[in-house]
Amino acid sequence: MFRLLRSCLTLALLAGIAGCSLLPSRDPVSISVVGIEPLPAQELELRFAIKLRLQNPNETAIDYDGIAVNLDVNGQPLASGVSSQNGRIERYSEEVLAVPVSVSAFTALRQAVGLNPAQSLNGMPYRLHGKLAGGLFGTVRFSDSGTLSLPAAAGY
C-alpha cells in the first residue's frame, strides 16, 4: 500500500513539473505612469485619473478584464483605485489606460504631516504597483517607480 502511494505521488510530482514547463514564459509587461489628471472629488477625498502606458513585449496578446493599482508616495500608501475596463494588448504593442484613484483626506493629511513646510508632494518618489486581471493564469502584476509631477490644479 505504501509503495503504491509513493509511486502515485512521484507520478503526480513529475506530471506537475512537466505541466509547468509547458506553460509559455512571458516577459514582464512594461507599465509606466504617463500622466495624472484631477477628477471631481467627494467631500473627504481627492480623486485623480492615473494614465498608464502598458507595453506588451511578448509574442502573444494579453487579454485583461479589470485593473487594480496602488500608489505609494515617499514610502507611504497614498492612493488606490480599480477599474473594470477590459481589452486586449496585442503582441508587441502598447496601450494607454486611465485608472481613477482616490486619496482620503486622512491619508493626504498623514502625507502632509510628514513633509516639512518647504516640501510638497510634487517631485517626491513614488511607487505604483498593481495587476491586470486576466483569469487564473492570465493575471499580470506590475510595478513602476519615479518622481511625482502633479498638475497645478490639484492643489498640492
Side-chain angles (χ1 to χ4, degrees), residues 1-151:
M1 178 71 172
F2 179 71
R3 179 177 262 163
L4 178 64
L5 180 61
R6 192 167 97 184
S7 296
C8 289
L9 286 175
T10 303
L11 284 174
L13 179 64
L14 290 174
I17 291 172
C20 289
S21 68
L22 295 175
L23 291 175
S25 63
R26 286 192 167 183
D27 290 326
V29 174
S30 173
I31 297 186
S32 57
V33 177
V34 295
I36 298 176
E37 296 178 354
L39 292 174
Q42 299 295 320
E43 296 164 3
L44 289 176
E45 72 175 357
L46 301 170
R47 302 224 351 118
F48 297 96
I50 296 180
K51 291 186 175 182
L52 304 173
R53 180 172 309 279
L54 291 81
Q55 296 177 330
N56 180 6
N58 295 290
E59 295 178 13
T60 57
I62 296 173
D63 293 314
Y64 63 92
D65 186 17
I67 185 169
V69 298
N70 291 299
L71 177 64
D72 300 337
V73 174
N74 209 20
Q76 296 289 323
L78 178 67
S80 62
V82 294
S83 175
S84 62
Q85 296 176 61
N86 59 29
R88 181 181 189 105
I89 306 168
E90 295 298 332
R91 59 188 289 275
Y92 297 108
S93 67
E94 61 184 39
E95 183 176 332
V96 174
L97 293 178
V99 180
V101 297
S102 301
V103 180
S104 75
F106 301 111
T107 302
L109 181 63
R110 184 183 67 225
Q111 284 283 350
V113 167
L115 301 175
N116 68 43
Q119 286 180 309
S120 73
L121 287 179
N122 206 29
M124 293 294 252
Y126 75 85
R127 179 175 173 261
L128 180 85
H129 52 100
K131 67 179 179 178
L132 279 173
L136 184 60
F137 295 109
T139 296
V140 176
R141 298 199 178 272
F142 60 86
S143 181
D144 182 45
S145 59
T147 56
L148 284 178
S149 177
L150 297 174

